[in-house]
Amino acid sequence: LHIAILASILCLIIYWLIRDSHRVRNLSGKHVFITGCDTGLGNTLAKWLDKRGFCVIAACATEKGGQQLRSCSSLSLKTVKLNLADSNSISRAVVFVTEETAGKGLFGLVNHAEGTAPIAPTDWLRIEDFHSVLDVSLLGLIEITLKLLPLLKKAKGRVVNLINSKGLTAFVGGGYRLSTWGMEAFSDTLRVEMQHFGVKVSIVEHGFFKAGVVNSDVIEKYLLRLWNRLTPEIRDSYGEKYFLE
């Protein structure tokens, strides 16, 4: 019994030593760039990392979002306006990050994009509905990652892609789940390739959180708009009862 207790204590000590060895030290001067910081998880994470002492660069889709975030953060937190569907906006954000890091490289990139994606049966949708999601939540995130890789390699930094686990289930059609699976595949490939440069790539699959709950009224209005634009043939094939349920 005593040997078992001693063995358990020894295992705990070894675990604590290993865990502590992986903790990031000397947070001051380490820059972390986060996308999608107007509200929700990105906003919360930016505030939390700022309090921990990181040099946070938060990308917001609106100037209002940036102002609100700066008003409740330290002076070291910087914001930049970013439209992930616009390559020029992405390039401007990369220039801003390059100037802010001042030759040190980028310690962390946190990719997060939670949009109001069209969620509906697949044949209710048009190709532009897929573009509206994929251009932001997949291609936009990939583009900004590619353009920041030189800074990440310079600092032997890390990429953390935040993915909502609800996007991994095949429930209804639309681009949201395509973008989720796409980011999973992109992350897995990038992780293998970046090992040579000392850059770590992680996926964090999160669930629902209060700050990011989508208003059901918004979803209902969007579905109504999609329903009303359907051809009579498609509406008849589903029936009014299907839509109301």
Side-chain angles (χ1 to χ4, degrees):
L1 180 61
H2 293 296
I3 294 176
I5 294 174
L6 288 173
S8 299
I9 294 173
L10 181 61
C11 288
L12 282 173
I13 292 173
I14 293 172
Y15 166 75
W16 286 330
L17 289 173
I18 294 174
R19 182 194 63 181
D20 290 345
S21 70
H22 286 82
R23 286 186 175 179
V24 178
R25 310 291 181 182
N26 303 319
L27 306 183
S28 178
K30 288 183 167 60
H31 290 82
V32 178
F33 178 67
I34 311 170
T35 66
C37 293
D38 293 80
T39 58
L41 185 55
N43 183 276
T44 302
L45 180 61
K47 294 174 185 175
W48 187 80
L49 290 179
D50 177 53
K51 290 179 181 178
R52 292 291 303 275
F54 284 99
C55 297
V56 176
I57 306 172
C60 298
T62 64
E63 184 58 39
K64 180 181 178 181
Q67 290 175 350
Q68 290 177 341
L69 182 55
R70 290 193 301 271
S71 68
C72 56
S73 305
S74 74
L75 294 176
S76 67
L77 183 143
K78 308 295 183 182
T79 61
V80 60
K81 191 173 180 181
L82 174 63
N83 176 5
L84 284 169
D86 181 359
S87 290
N88 291 326
S89 178
I90 290 174
S91 295
R92 287 192 293 270
V94 170
V95 170
F96 183 85
V97 173
T98 303
E99 292 173 349
E100 285 295 319
T101 54
K104 297 178 182 178
L106 186 62
F107 178 76
L109 165 63
V110 182
N111 279 320
H112 175 64
E114 284 285 351
T116 54
I119 300 173
T122 300
D123 61 348
W124 291 22
L125 302 171
R126 298 172 181 170
I127 192 63
E128 55 264 30
D129 295 318
F130 287 88
H131 274 295
S132 68
V133 180
L134 296 175
D135 288 349
V136 173
S137 298
L138 179 58
L139 298 178
L141 291 181
I142 289 175
E143 182 175 354
I144 199 162
T145 301
L146 295 177
K147 289 183 176 178
L148 288 173
L149 279 180
L151 294 179
L152 290 160
K153 289 159 73 173
K154 185 179 184 65
K156 295 188 187 308
R158 68 243 21 235
V159 180
V160 180
N161 291 325
L162 303 180
I163 295 174
N164 197 319
S165 58
K166 72 176 184 287
L168 299 174
T169 57
F171 181 61
V172 288
Y176 183 68
R177 281 156 183 80
L178 295 178
S179 66
T180 302
W181 282 104
M183 282 305 293
E184 289 262 349
F186 174 71
S187 303
D188 290 342
T189 303
L190 190 66
R191 182 183 305 112
V192 175
E193 296 170 343
M194 288 295 109
Q195 283 180 350
H196 175 73
F197 302 99
V199 175
K200 298 178 177 63
V201 179
S202 302
I203 300 170
V204 176
E205 296 175 356
H206 62 85
F208 290 97
F209 53 95
K210 187 176 181 181
V213 174
V214 179
N215 191 321
S216 60
D217 291 338
V218 174
I219 296 176
E220 188 174 330
K221 288 179 181 178
Y222 200 98
L223 283 172
L224 180 61
R225 185 173 74 83
L226 292 177
W227 175 261
N228 288 334
R229 82 176 188 188
L230 293 176
T231 63
E233 291 79 12
I234 294 179
R235 271 204 302 267
D236 290 343
S237 70
Y238 281 91
E240 194 77 26
K241 184 179 179 182
Y242 181 95
F243 174 71
L244 295 175
E245 289 178 350

